[in-house]
């Protein structure tokens, strides 16, 4: 899919202007996080690139800090734990967990799930319908604790909206 298609999909999913998503995509491309494309050819984005851009735009980071913030969000671990010796059934980081959710979304809806991407610190939360919350936080942080006295502000993405986004990305 083209950069324009991807940025319009991200904008539609989380309700931001497509221009904002395009500027974020350019910053991520310049930082080497998104593909650059070839001479005279636009980059071709895949599902993982779409998820990366969605997280970046949802992070609320400034253009100057969006690449660093996106990397730190995708590197968060379950509960901030060191999972290097954990069984392979435990996702190593949020990027892997989002890829797993994307596979689930490609084959059905994600009813009963809400994703939260926190603006003030690296945290991605999965809020399930039964009230359980799975937090991905910076490695070494205190599990399920807010690392700041500031108010917790997050972009929320309902599971069905994420599923629709993934299906559009796969067919884009």
């Amino acid at each position: 899919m083209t950069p324009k298609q991807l940025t319009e999909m991200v904008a539609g999913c989380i309700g931001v202007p497509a221009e904002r998503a395009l500027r974020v995509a350019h910053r991520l491309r310049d930082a080497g996080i998104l593909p650059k494309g070839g001479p005279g050819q636009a980059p071709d984005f895949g599902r993982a690139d779409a998820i990366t851009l969605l997280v970046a735009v949802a992070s609320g980071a400034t253009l100057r800090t969006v690449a660093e913030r996106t990397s730190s969000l995708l590197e968060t671990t379950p509960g901030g734990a060191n999972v290097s010796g954990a069984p392979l059934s435990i996702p190593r980081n949020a990027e892997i967990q989002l890829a797993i959710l994307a596979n689930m979304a490609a084959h059905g809806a994600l009813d009963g799930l809400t994703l939260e991407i926190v603006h003030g610190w690296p945290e991605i939360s999965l809020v399930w319908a039964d009230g359980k919350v799975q937090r991905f936080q910076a490695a070494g942080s205190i599990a399920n604790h807010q690392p700041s006295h500031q108010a917790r502000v997050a972009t929320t993405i309902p599971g069905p909206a994420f599923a629709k986004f993934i299906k559009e990305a796969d067919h884009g």
Side-chain angles (χ1 to χ4, degrees):
M1 96 191 68
T2 66
K4 184 176 183 195
Q5 290 171 319
L6 178 58
T7 56
E8 287 174 356
M9 285 176 22
V10 168
C13 182
I14 58 176
V16 298
E19 180 65 27
R20 166 72 180 163
L22 185 60
R23 289 178 189 262
V24 170
H26 287 163
R27 290 296 177 126
L28 295 180
R29 179 199 63 205
D30 294 344
I33 297 172
L34 290 180
K36 295 182 188 227
Q41 183 178 348
D44 188 30
F45 296 110
R47 181 192 286 179
D49 300 321
I51 293 170
T52 298
L53 183 59
L54 181 68
V55 168
V57 175
S59 74
T62 63
L63 289 176
R64 190 178 34 128
T65 63
V66 73
E68 181 182 330
R69 174 77 54 88
T70 302
S71 293
S72 65
L73 280 165
L74 294 174
E75 292 168 1
T76 56
T77 62
N82 178 354
V83 292
S84 60
L88 293 177
S89 60
I90 297 174
R92 299 288 188 235
N93 56 40
E95 185 174 20
I96 293 170
Q97 180 64 50
L98 291 171
I100 292 168
L101 289 174
N103 283 336
M104 292 169 58
H107 303 307
L110 291 175
D111 296 333
L113 171 68
T114 302
L115 287 90
E116 295 181 348
I117 292 123
V118 178
H119 292 205
W121 52 85
E123 178 184 319
I124 295 177
S125 297
L126 308 177
V127 182
W128 300 95
D130 63 0
K132 293 183 180 170
V133 179
Q134 183 181 8
R135 297 185 197 282
F136 284 78
Q137 299 170 298
S141 63
I142 300 173
N144 296 322
H145 281 77
Q146 186 169 307
S148 171
H149 295 292
Q150 298 174 340
R152 184 179 186 274
V153 178
T155 299
T156 59
I157 304 170
F162 183 72
K164 180 182 176 201
F165 174 78
I166 293 301
K167 288 174 185 171
E168 288 175 0
D170 286 347
H171 301 328

